[in-house]
Amino acid sequence: MKSEEGIEYTISYPYTHFITEEERLEIYKKFGTINIWVGLPAIVGAKMCVEGEAEKGVIGPECLDPIKFLKKMADMGAPVKFRK
């Protein structure tokens, strides 16, 4: 909530970004797989926990700060795009 107004964010799976062989090869070279949407979010979540950006103990991924999470995904090379 911001100023008593709800804020809605939309996240879409950009699978269409990996249609060409060149795009798939670029992702594979960067991460060692083209299926980054399985391992990369777990890595980012673990890094946030280790760096103290999450509560201690067992937490669900929905408890992580979504903006920080998505920015870390983008910083690691995931094709994340933000729009309002």
Side-chain angles (χ1 to χ4, degrees), residues 12-67:
S12 59
Y13 176 64
Y15 185 74
T16 57
H17 292 162
F18 310 127
I19 292 177
T20 68
E21 286 293 320
E22 292 82 17
E23 290 168 326
R24 281 189 228 132
L25 184 58
E26 182 180 333
I27 292 295
Y28 183 79
K29 285 179 181 178
K30 191 181 293 183
F31 296 106
T33 181
I34 61 168
N35 193 4
I36 63 171
W37 302 107
V38 174
L40 192 58
I43 292 168
V44 170
K47 285 183 76 168
M48 288 179 73
C49 291
V50 169
E51 293 170 356
E53 296 181 13
E55 295 179 28
K56 293 186 183 229
V58 178
I59 62 167
E62 65 274 7
C63 296
L64 298 173
D65 181 331
I67 301 299

